[in-house]
Amino acid sequence: MSPKRGDDVAPPSIGTEWRLRFATNEAAKGWGELAAEAPGNTRRCFEALRRDPTAHLEPDRQHRLRGRLATGTLGGRAYPQWE
């Protein structure tokens, strides 16, 4: 989906930072609601995910999903999913 007038501008990745994308429209909507409710925490989450989405620094907040949600497929390749 291409950005349109009035859409938020995502900061560009720098160096080894990850590029974050929404997998669903529901995820995009939920992220916007979360940012409106808790902007500071949402920004810290965004920055942590950009740096290292697989970090184990805060396992209560950021951890690998389990069961059928443990992996997702994109372009025919399986990737680990984190929360």
Side-chain angles (χ1 to χ4, degrees), residues 1-82:
M1 169 182 355
S2 298
K4 297 182 260 342
R5 182 179 177 177
D7 287 353
D8 290 336
V9 177
S13 58
I14 300 170
T16 60
E17 285 183 334
W18 287 73
R19 181 177 168 210
L20 306 180
R21 292 192 267 171
F22 297 113
T24 64
N25 290 334
E26 292 81 18
K29 180 181 177 197
W31 183 263
E33 292 169 356
L34 183 63
E37 187 75 26
N41 287 339
T42 306
R43 178 59 187 221
R44 283 190 289 283
C45 174
F46 178 83
E47 290 171 358
L49 289 171
R50 291 287 294 263
R51 277 191 310 276
D52 185 4
T54 63
H56 299 278
L57 301 175
E58 294 188 63
D60 291 337
R61 293 184 159 266
Q62 191 173 338
H63 58 275
R64 176 98 187 261
L65 293 174
R66 296 183 182 143
R68 65 179 183 85
L69 296 175
T71 57
T73 305
L74 180 65
R77 185 170 171 198
Y79 294 94
Q81 295 196 124
W82 288 72

